Every structure is written in C-alpha cells, then in structure tokens.
Amino acid sequence: MPEGPELHMASLFVNRMCEGVVFSGAVEKSEVSKSPDVPFACDAYRVRAASRGKEVRLTLTPIKSDDEPNPNKAGAEADQNQEPMDVVFRFGMSGFFRFTPENEIPKHAHLRFYTPEEPRRVLSYVDVRRFGSWQPNGTWQPDRGPCIMFEYESFRENVLSNLSDKAFDRPICETLLNQKFFNGIGNYLRAEILFRLDIPPFVKARTVLEGLRSQSVEDDKTAVQEELEAKPGTEKEDDSAPDLISLCHTVPLEVLKMGGKGYDPEKKDYSAFQSWLQCYYVDGMQSLRDHNGRTMWFKGDPGPMAPKASKSPKAKKRVKKEEHDYTVTKKGGKKKSTKEKVEKAAKGTKKPAVERKVAQRRSSSKRSRSTHKEEEEEEEEEEEEEEEEVNLSKENDKPKGRRKSSTSVGQRKSSVDKPKRARGAAQSGREEAETAQTNKRGMRRKSSSAAEPQRRSGRATRGSVRQTS
C-alpha cells in the first residue's frame, strides 16, 4: 500500500511531467469506477499536485487570456470565469499516476486528463484494485493528523497532547496506523521504525510514548532542514537518542532521498529500496497478524498484547512488475502443456516438483481406473445372484436349478472318487467338505422353493374370503 513517501513522490512526478503542459477538455472517468465524476471542463488549464500524509491533491487551474500564450486563445477568454478545482486522491492499495501518449493509456486508468495537441497525451490515475478514491472540490480530510514529514512539530504535539485518547490503549503497532495521529505511516514504515528502536510491536502504545518531551518550533525547522539537505548514507551527529516520534519523521525522509518506490516510469530498479529494508519482508524476521488482520514484521518477543490465536502468515515472494502491472497473465499468452513442463523439469530448467505432481496425477488416475473395474465386477456378481434367485422363485415344483445342482454334485462325487486314492487322505477330506457345503446350498434352495407355493395358496384363500364377506 502506498504510504506517505510514495504519495509525496507521486505529487513530485505530476509536477515534473506536467510542468508547462496545457490540458484541455473534460476530465474523463472510466465506466467501472464507482468514484464520483469530476465536473470540470475547460479549453485550457494546468495541473499542479501537492501531498499531505496519505493524500494527494491535484489543482486544476484555468489559463486566462493574459497568461502565457496558448493555442486556444478564444476558448481561454471564454473560461475567464472558470474557478480552479481541487481533486483530492487517496491511493488505497495500488493507486499511482502515469503520463503517457493517448495510445498507451494503462488498462486500469480510471481518471484521465487530456492535452489538446495531436497526438494527445494523457495524465492518468491508475488503480488496479480500485480501492483508491478521489473527491472533486475536496479538501484534506479533517480527521487526519498533521503530516509526519512536513508538519513535524504539529505532528509531535498532536500525539503527545492526546495520549489520554483510547487509541493509545491499543498495541503500538496498531496505533501507528491510526491516521488521526500518524498521517503517512503504513505497514512497512511501522515495521522499520519499531525494529530500529527494538520495541516489541504488541506493547501498549501509551506505555511507549509516555515521558517523551515536546519540541520547539526552531528545533523542528532545523531538524527538517538538516534531514532534507543530508546526503544518503551520512549519519547525523546528535547527542540525544532518537525516540519513536522522531523516527516517524526521519525514516520516511530516508525513503524520499532514495527516490521513493518507483513512481517515475524511467526508474524501475527496486534494489535500493529492498537493500534499505531491515525488517519488513526480510529473511529471518517473524510475522504475525494484528487485531485488524494486517501483517506485522518484527524480531524477538512480540509483546504481551499479541493476538492469542494469530498465526504467522506464509511469506510470499513478491515479484515487481514493470509499470505497476499487477495482472497475473498477459493477454494472448500461450499456456504450457504438462508434457512441456515435464521436459523442462528433466532438463533442469524447472523444479522437480512439476514432475512429482504429474506422477501423482497418473497414479491417482490408475487407482481410479482399478477401483472402477472392481466395482463393475462386483455389480456383475450381484446381478448373477439376483437372476438366479428370481429363476428359483418362479418354479413351483422342484426347480431345475436344484436338479442341476444335485446332478453336478453327483458328477463331482464321481470325479472326486477317481483321484481320491492318488491324492491321499488330506485331499479327500477337503473334497468331502466341498461336497457337503454344496448339498447344504441345495437344501436351502429346496426349502425356499417349496415354501413359495404355500405362500401363494395362502394369499389366494385370503382373497376369496374377503370377496365372500
């Protein structure tokens, strides 16, 4: 999620790319966006940006006739009474700005400002997840505190004078995300700040902040000036150790001196930022979800207020895509077959896990086929048994099946008597047991077939009695 330094870099990007550029026409909104329309249309206007904490404000200022020359002078004179408009943006999880030719507008550009020349250029607000928003004729949100970077003295006073607020009853890692007091702090900044001071993340915020002193206006101006003028990598000589509030101010300034996290399309190398991180998504660090479901990175003891049932989420490898393209696959991409994956695994270009998965699928399919075959055989046996029972029940007299079984028994006896002498006593005993078992089955079938006519005659008698009555 973009935090204070990234939003400030976004405002610097807009001012650098739109310096001296004239925009014209109406502001366009995408059809899928749920944010409000921007009711601004002008033949010639300029765009300037400013940031405060986690907000960016674009100011649309019409160009009057006595200003610099512009190609649409007549239209500019007609817009002399047009008032400037402020559009305040909150970036959500994935918002950013782009300035491109019209034929290269990003896919998720939800608000667009056009230039009049041909081919036209477009300043776009891009938001892949659509968690961000904008407000025409907007102002800085009143419930947000002073900016942690450029209103440091007010920010410090706002925190220390409100320690009795119930927000400071929560763990310090959760209080740092409260924009009412820490406007501009986000997930990676809170992890880096607490790590540098070796503060457990789940300690009560009031306990950590009590005892910190206020700072004078002169000290504030001097500190901000020194931080902005200091070169990256140089350490500031100061007898006093930094506290939590001062690090909330200086750590974001370190990110600014690196150039942010990539809002300039010409700078796509994130190695400097990744090497700067000491705790957030760093190997060897621990992580827990706080009471709001946000992942907190830390080292050592989490603190007494850690959620009891919280589990450490699995760290996912984050892949930075060029120009903030967070889509999973590209259009027209050809999907690789399983055979190609196995061949790559054999060559060593792919992990052997692919080959293992293919083997598992094949073994499971073989098991399913064998199981299906066994089920079919069982069904056939059951059908044969049912068919035999039906044939036996249809016979009123001695069933043919019984005579066949007795005949077959006799044949077995005759065939058994011949090899009995040669096989010995053990074999003959086994044959006699089989014969006895066969006779028992024949007797059961006989009793069932003999009982069937009696049941039928009983039903017929009961029917005649009913008719007579």
Side-chain angles (χ1 to χ4, degrees):
M1 178 177 181
E3 303 181 18
E6 287 72 57
L7 271 78
H8 183 67
M9 289 300 299
S11 66
L12 296 180
F13 168 77
V14 171
N15 292 338
R16 184 173 67 254
M17 302 303 293
C18 299
E19 181 69 28
V21 177
V22 177
F23 292 84
S24 179
V27 180
E28 289 186 2
K29 189 193 79 165
S30 67
E31 296 179 355
V32 297
S33 176
K34 296 181 180 179
S35 294
D37 293 326
V38 178
F40 184 88
C42 185
D43 288 338
Y45 65 94
R46 298 193 185 279
V47 177
R48 293 290 297 176
S51 70
R52 182 177 183 267
K54 283 193 176 184
E55 293 179 298
V56 173
R57 180 182 66 201
L58 293 189
T59 301
L60 315 179
T61 306
I63 299 176
K64 297 183 180 181
S65 58
D66 55 350
D67 287 347
E68 297 177 6
N70 63 83
N72 298 322
K73 185 176 181 181
E77 291 177 355
D79 292 325
Q80 287 183 8
N81 297 325
Q82 177 77 36
E83 294 295 330
M85 176 181 288
D86 290 335
V87 184
V88 178
F89 291 82
R90 296 161 195 103
F91 280 11
M93 293 291 292
S94 58
F96 60 94
F97 286 110
R98 277 291 172 268
F99 191 61
T100 61
E102 187 177 9
N103 59 351
E104 297 178 10
I105 296 178
K107 180 180 179 181
H108 300 280
H110 297 302
L111 198 66
R112 299 179 287 270
F113 307 84
Y114 291 88
T115 63
E117 75 274 5
E118 292 292 340
R120 295 194 299 177
R121 292 178 293 172
V122 187
L123 174 67
S124 304
Y125 170 70
V126 187
D127 189 0
V128 178
R129 301 186 183 183
R130 283 187 272 170
F131 288 167
S133 62
W134 62 80
Q135 186 64 43
N137 293 315
T139 58
W140 304 126
Q141 281 186 327
D143 57 346
R144 288 179 179 265
C147 179
I148 56 173
M149 295 179 291
F150 304 107
E151 300 172 341
Y152 174 61
E153 196 271 336
S154 300
F155 153 63
R156 188 180 186 94
E157 286 297 326
N158 184 46
V159 173
L160 296 179
S161 61
N162 289 283
L163 289 180
S164 60
D165 192 278
K166 62 180 181 180
F168 296 94
D169 293 331
R170 303 181 67 85
I172 184 61
C173 65
E174 298 176 12
T175 304
L176 285 175
L177 297 184
N178 191 330
Q179 301 301 296
K180 182 179 179 181
F181 302 103
F182 298 90
N183 186 12
I185 297 293
N187 214 23
Y188 82 84
L189 283 177
R190 69 170 178 173
E192 297 299 318
I193 292 168
L194 294 177
F195 173 78
R196 295 190 184 193
L197 294 175
D198 197 21
I199 297 176
F202 294 97
V203 175
K204 185 180 287 189
R206 187 178 293 106
T207 304
V208 177
L209 296 170
E210 280 179 342
L212 300 184
R213 65 180 180 85
S214 300
Q215 193 169 6
S216 64
V217 178
E218 284 74 17
D219 292 340
D220 170 49
K221 292 180 180 178
T222 304
V224 173
Q225 188 67 24
E226 289 177 356
E227 289 293 338
L228 292 176
E229 292 178 356
K231 296 180 180 179
T234 60
E235 296 183 358
K236 179 183 176 182
E237 296 182 0
D238 193 355
D239 296 334
S240 60
D243 57 30
L244 179 64
I245 300 179
S246 64
L247 282 187
C248 290
H249 164 68
T250 57
V251 172
L253 292 179
E254 292 180 12
V255 181
L256 287 182
K257 285 182 286 187
M258 289 189 300
K261 287 169 63 179
Y263 281 97
D264 189 344
E266 298 174 359
K267 298 178 181 178
K268 300 173 184 176
D269 186 9
Y270 297 91
S271 58
F273 178 76
Q274 291 174 350
S275 61
W276 173 84
L277 291 172
Q278 301 179 28
C279 179
Y280 185 72
Y281 264 99
V282 175
D283 292 338
M285 298 297 164
Q286 304 177 52
S287 61
L288 282 177
R289 295 193 187 277
D290 61 19
H291 296 89
N292 299 319
R294 302 288 301 276
T295 303
M296 178 65 209
W297 292 85
F298 62 97
K299 182 179 181 180
D301 181 24
M305 301 181 70
K308 301 301 180 184
S310 178
K311 295 183 179 180
S312 177
K314 294 181 179 179
K316 298 179 181 179
K317 187 177 180 181
R318 297 178 297 167
V319 180
K320 298 288 184 181
K321 305 222 174 178
E322 293 185 358
E323 302 217 5
H324 294 273
D325 184 9
Y326 297 110
T327 53
V328 178
T329 56
K330 294 183 179 179
K331 286 187 177 180
K334 188 177 179 181
K335 202 171 183 180
K336 293 182 181 179
S337 63
T338 307
K339 187 177 180 181
E340 292 176 354
K341 292 179 181 179
V342 174
E343 291 175 356
K344 283 193 174 184
K347 293 178 182 178
T349 58
K350 203 74 175 174
K351 292 183 179 179
V354 177
E355 192 172 1
R356 288 199 300 270
K357 288 181 180 178
V358 174
Q360 289 175 0
R361 291 173 186 168
R362 290 177 178 174
S363 62
S364 62
S365 62
K366 286 181 181 179
R367 286 196 300 269
S368 62
R369 285 197 296 270
S370 62
T371 306
H372 183 64
K373 188 175 181 180
E374 291 175 359
E375 291 177 354
E376 288 182 349
E377 291 177 355
E378 291 177 359
E379 290 178 359
E380 290 177 359
E381 291 177 0
E382 290 177 358
E383 288 177 358
E384 290 177 359
E385 291 178 0
E386 290 177 359
E387 197 173 317
E388 186 177 359
E389 290 178 0
V390 170
N391 291 334
L392 290 174
S393 63
K394 286 182 180 179
E395 300 291 339
N396 294 331
D397 299 331
K398 294 181 180 180
K400 295 179 181 180
R402 185 182 61 79
R403 289 196 297 272
K404 285 183 180 179
S405 63
S406 61
T407 306
S408 60
V409 170
Q411 291 175 356
R412 284 184 185 180
K413 284 184 178 180
S414 61
S415 61
V416 167
D417 290 338
K418 293 179 181 179
K420 186 183 292 185
R421 303 184 192 91
R423 292 179 182 176
Q427 185 70 17
S428 62
R430 194 180 303 112
E431 295 291 340
E432 289 176 358
E434 291 180 359
T435 305
Q437 188 175 2
T438 306
N439 289 335
K440 287 181 181 179
R441 285 199 295 266
M443 293 298 292
R444 285 198 299 270
R445 290 174 182 172
K446 179 180 179 181
S447 61
S448 63
S449 60
E452 180 64 23
Q454 295 178 2
R455 287 195 295 270
R456 290 183 179 178
S457 61
R459 286 197 295 270
T461 305
R462 286 194 297 272
S464 59
V465 171
R466 290 175 184 172
Q467 290 177 0
T468 306
S469 60

